[in-house]
Amino acid sequence: MAFSRNTLLVAIAATAIVGGAASAASTAFPDPAPTPSQSWVGVWRNTNNTMHIRATPCGSGSMCGVVVWANDQAKADVAAKGRNIIGMQLFSGFRQTAPMEWRGSVFVPTVGRNFSGKITLIDHDSLVAVGCLFAGIGCQTRHWTRLS
């Protein structure tokens, strides 16, 4: 399956907040809930500033992320698929699996698929995300910066 350069770049940028291809389900980390300084609740800007995600708790012990801003190119790439990226839930079911680490699912609107991934909180204002497009192919690591 071939993707245009822009579609592939948007897919990599979106999946970069998560890690790995589909992995075995894991149980939630048994320690108490993270303190505010250990949480990734807030608004985050990706490395190339193509989108901003608002991360909030959702469900029982999970974290989710919704797009609150995207640049014109990201909007156009998703609009070409008949979708609006603003307000779209891209990250769902992220559960803590280790101290400062969460695993969950990301929806990549330009390819219409969900991927598994990992987020590691480095400190209050930065996180590292590792993501792969397909079964270990096209892996990327990105740093995200807290906006609020």
Side-chain angles (χ1 to χ4, degrees), residues 6 10 49-51 69-80 85-86:
N6 286 340
V10 170
N49 200 30
T50 59
M51 73 179 77
W69 178 88
N71 71 6
D72 290 340
Q73 185 63 52
K75 288 179 191 175
D77 288 345
V78 174
I85 195 167
I86 305 302

Side-chain angles (χ1 to χ4, degrees), residues 4 19 22-23 26 29 36-37 45 48 51 54 72 121 138 143 148:
S4 73
S23 61
S26 60
F29 188 73
S37 65
R45 175 184 70 83
N48 52 1
M51 73 179 77
R54 179 178 310 282
D72 290 340
L121 190 63
H143 295 264
S148 65

Side-chain angles (χ1 to χ4, degrees), residues 26 28 33-34 39-41 55-65 89 91-96 102-105:
S26 60
S39 175
W40 54 286
V41 169
T56 59
C58 61
S60 177
S62 294
M63 292 285 294
C64 293
Q89 183 173 330
F91 309 106
S92 60
F94 276 84
R95 294 189 173 275
Q96 192 168 13
W102 291 261
R103 291 186 184 266
S105 178

Side-chain angles (χ1 to χ4, degrees), residues 34-45 53 55 63 100 102 119-128 143-148:
T35 66
S37 65
Q38 296 174 314
S39 175
W40 54 286
V41 169
V43 178
W44 295 87
R45 175 184 70 83
I53 303 296
M63 292 285 294
M100 311 300 271
W102 291 261
I119 293 172
T120 303
L121 190 63
I122 303 304
D123 59 38
H124 182 264
D125 293 322
S126 60
L127 61 83
V128 172
H143 295 264
W144 287 66
T145 304
R146 184 186 299 274
L147 294 175
S148 65

Side-chain angles (χ1 to χ4, degrees), residues 9 22 32 51 65 81-82 97-98 111 118 139 143:
L9 290 175
M51 73 179 77
K81 302 290 184 185
T97 56
V111 295
K118 181 175 87 171
C139 296
H143 295 264

